[in-house]
Amino acid sequence: MTDLQKIPVTVITGFLGAGKTTLIRHLMQNPQGKRLAVLVNEFGTVGVDGDILKSCADENCPAENIVELANGCICCTVADDFIPTIEALMALPQRPDHILIETSGLALPKPLLKAFDWPAIRSKITVDGVVALADAEAVAAGRFAPDEEAVQAQREADDSMDHETPLSEVFEDQISCADIVLLSKADLAGEAGLQAARAVIEAEAPRKLPIVAMEEGRIDPRLILGLNAAAEDDLAARPSHHDGHDDHEHDDFDTVVIDLPEVTDPEALKAAIVRLAREQNILRVKGYVAVAGKPMRMLVQAVGERVRAQYDRPWGTETRASKLVVIGEHDDVDMDAIRAVLGA
């Protein structure tokens, strides 16, 4: 790559737990001869996703090419965080051939695309494409993609309902901004679920979009890298609920970090996380847990009532500590109630 060529950037968006980190791990393992760099934007102060990706670093995407911006939306901190980070990646001794950006699950992608118009970087990078991930099973079940007729009926029955939920707007903005949609967890949805999810996506999309089913992040990189979309020049074709606003708010969501003692019963912890989703409408839980008698740390990832836990690597010289990031809509996040359920 010559200095005159723009570095392509792929923005990977999608709702909480849709599988963005799993997809990036697959791309890192199958780089198609490209030297990659990764920018991870976490919602919360515990960098779970960035840590997972750094554990997969190799010669095609070394650890210094994986940068994490935690506890802040990159599109809201353009001058302070985003621009300097991009410039630092471009200044590496070996410039990356392609940059992957994993947005927070709560992020609206269009404001991020606008950041690529900043003079400091516009001549150096371009948005190769926006990839939106959607959990096929959840979408098929009608979550985060409301039926317009049903919503209208509710509005007519209840004068207090004058707008869609924040989750719906996030979902719709992600689909509207995408160049391709990946339906993750296709194996859990089944064929009927995939057809239902496709119908929902097609109804929400402002234009015809390719929709591809995917399991465990496995997809041919040629389908999503090298789209040449120049999305920063195509904003008008990517409508958003927030068009016309000078900025956007994240006050609809709260995140809290819970410190736990060493866990003696991992199954009880998983059951407690299910309770949070069922009783307190918690959307997402992720973090690391120290389990008594186990030399390896346990990685916990939960989306709603679906909880996955695995031992990812030894603690080694790292301090054994349990921290969970808990994310929910603002009115549902009660620190004391969450701590009580988790036994913090």
Side-chain angles (χ1 to χ4, degrees):
M1 176 180 293
T2 69
D3 289 339
L4 296 178
Q5 289 178 300
K6 290 185 177 182
I7 298 177
V9 177
T10 296
V11 175
I12 299 176
T13 185
F15 203 74
L16 297 165
K20 300 185 296 296
T21 303
T22 303
L23 171 63
I24 293 178
R25 287 178 67 178
H26 175 72
L27 295 174
M28 290 171 61
Q29 293 161 1
N30 300 273
Q32 305 291 296
K34 300 178 184 294
R35 186 175 180 84
L36 300 178
V38 180
L39 173 57
V40 182
N41 188 207
E42 292 265 33
F43 191 82
T45 57
V46 178
V48 176
D49 295 343
D51 205 6
I52 292 172
L53 294 175
K54 286 179 182 177
S55 70
C56 302
D58 58 20
E59 62 181 8
N60 296 307
C61 188
E64 61 267 25
N65 285 30
I66 302 172
V67 182
E68 185 178 13
L69 296 179
N71 203 29
C73 172
I74 51 179
C75 53
C76 295
T77 57
V78 173
D80 294 333
D81 293 320
F82 179 61
I83 299 297
T85 300
I86 291 294
E87 290 180 326
L89 288 175
M90 292 188 296
L92 289 169
Q94 287 186 277
R95 289 179 63 189
D97 300 311
H98 203 113
I99 299 173
L100 308 175
I101 296 181
E102 177 187 344
T103 70
S104 155
L106 302 175
L108 302 176
K110 190 167 182 178
L112 173 57
L113 296 189
K114 292 179 179 178
F116 285 86
D117 199 37
W118 275 55
I121 60 171
R122 179 173 174 79
S123 63
K124 302 173 184 176
I125 60 175
T126 181
V127 183
D128 180 70
V130 179
V131 179
L133 272 68
D135 184 315
E137 185 184 38
V139 174
R143 299 191 294 273
F144 315 138
D147 182 309
E148 290 185 3
E149 293 182 3
V151 171
Q152 185 59 37
Q154 287 177 317
R155 284 174 172 169
E156 292 172 358
D158 185 350
D159 292 337
S160 67
M161 293 191 66
D162 58 359
H163 60 277
E164 295 174 323
T165 66
L167 296 183
S168 300
E169 291 188 4
V170 171
F171 178 81
E172 291 164 11
D173 277 18
Q174 290 172 351
I175 297 301
S176 295
C177 205
D179 294 289
I180 184 171
V181 177
L182 303 182
L183 291 176
S184 61
K185 305 182 178 72
D187 52 330
L188 299 180
E191 189 56 40
L194 284 174
Q195 291 181 7
R198 287 178 188 275
V200 171
I201 299 295
E202 289 171 350
E204 297 292 351
R207 59 195 182 284
K208 182 70 173 176
L209 289 175
I211 303 172
V212 181
M214 177 184 67
E215 297 178 17
E216 298 295 334
R218 295 188 298 269
I219 192 168
D220 190 331
R222 293 173 298 179
L223 285 175
I224 58 176
L225 301 183
L227 299 180
N228 298 313
E232 69 274 19
D233 295 328
D234 189 34
L235 295 178
R238 304 165 192 265
S240 164
H241 286 278
H242 296 260
D243 284 342
H245 296 270
D246 291 334
D247 53 17
H248 62 283
E249 301 295 334
H250 297 279
D251 293 340
D252 297 322
F253 305 97
D254 273 348
T255 176
V256 296
V257 178
I258 304 295
D259 292 299
L260 297 174
E262 198 163 82
V263 172
T264 57
D265 187 348
E267 292 304 316
L269 176 63
K270 288 193 279 187
I273 292 172
V274 171
R275 277 188 59 196
L276 287 179
R278 187 173 297 163
E279 299 174 5
Q280 299 188 40
N281 298 318
I282 293 302
L283 304 171
R284 185 83 159 97
V285 178
K286 58 184 179 178
Y288 297 109
V289 174
V291 179
K294 299 291 185 181
M296 299 184 73
R297 68 181 188 180
M298 188 172 75
L299 167 64
V300 177
Q301 298 264 29
V303 184
E305 295 184 28
R306 187 191 301 150
V307 184
R308 299 179 67 176
Q310 66 187 71
Y311 293 98
D312 71 328
R313 65 176 174 82
W315 285 102
T317 57
E318 186 180 354
T319 302
R320 291 173 63 93
S322 301
K323 286 183 181 292
L324 294 178
V325 179
V326 180
I327 305 173
E329 291 193 70
H330 178 76
D331 293 341
D332 294 326
V333 175
D334 182 329
M335 171 72 90
D336 292 337
I338 292 170
R339 290 175 58 87
V341 171
L342 292 176

